[in-house]
Amino acid sequence: MQITLDNPASAPGPLSPYYSQVARVEHADGSALLFVSGQIAEGATLAEQSRGVFETLEALLNAHGASLADVINIRTYLTDIGRLEEYGAVRREFLTGTPPTSMTFEVPRLFRPEAQIEIEIVAAVPAGQR
């Protein structure tokens, strides 16, 4: 097993120098698991921020030969769980296949005070994709 930590140049960079955005765990058969750090995005509304986060997640996955269709687990942190349906509508635009395993939490605040949502994911990359 080989582990590579990465901040792909083709995706928006991390908001801090203290973490890597993607951990790629290579298996002997050529498949991999991608662990993607929590992402936030700019925007005035929860829907705008949600779209921005999914676009960033997509870019990070694409840099490793994966897509949102490869997501197997998603963890969402909302500052207002009462807006879950608003977030869910955006999520369904981006995750169109069989839904991944999921956890959603309400938190009092996030890394940036203006952030209303943060999402982290795990994706499974089939052998031969890079």
Side-chain angles (χ1 to χ4, degrees):
M1 173 173 28
Q2 179 181 344
I3 300 172
T4 305
L5 300 174
D6 189 26
N7 292 315
S10 60
L15 297 175
S16 163
Y18 303 114
Y19 69 97
S20 295
Q21 291 176 289
V22 180
R24 183 182 181 101
V25 181
E26 297 276 349
H27 299 282
D29 68 357
S31 65
L33 287 175
L34 302 177
F35 296 85
V36 181
S37 294
Q39 301 294 314
I40 64 172
E42 294 182 357
T45 68
L46 177 60
E48 290 171 349
Q49 288 187 19
S50 299
R51 279 188 186 85
V53 169
F54 278 109
E55 289 166 359
T56 297
L57 291 169
E58 191 167 41
L60 291 166
L61 291 172
N62 289 172
H64 284 269
S67 72
L68 290 170
D70 297 310
V71 173
I72 60 172
N73 181 263
I74 183 168
R75 284 173 300 285
T76 305
Y77 305 87
L78 293 169
T79 57
D80 182 357
I81 200 74
R83 299 176 69 197
L84 183 61
E85 286 301 317
E86 185 180 352
Y87 157 66
V90 174
R91 176 179 155 154
R92 286 187 295 277
E93 292 174 23
F94 287 88
L95 299 177
T96 58
T98 303
T101 63
S102 178
M103 294 180 73
T104 303
F105 306 90
E106 181 176 43
V107 296
R109 64 182 176 178
L110 294 165
F111 176 70
R112 297 264 171 108
E114 67 277 11
Q116 301 172 52
I117 187 167
E118 183 169 349
I119 302 172
E120 62 180 311
I121 58 172
V122 177
V125 183
Q129 284 185 224
R130 177 67 172 142

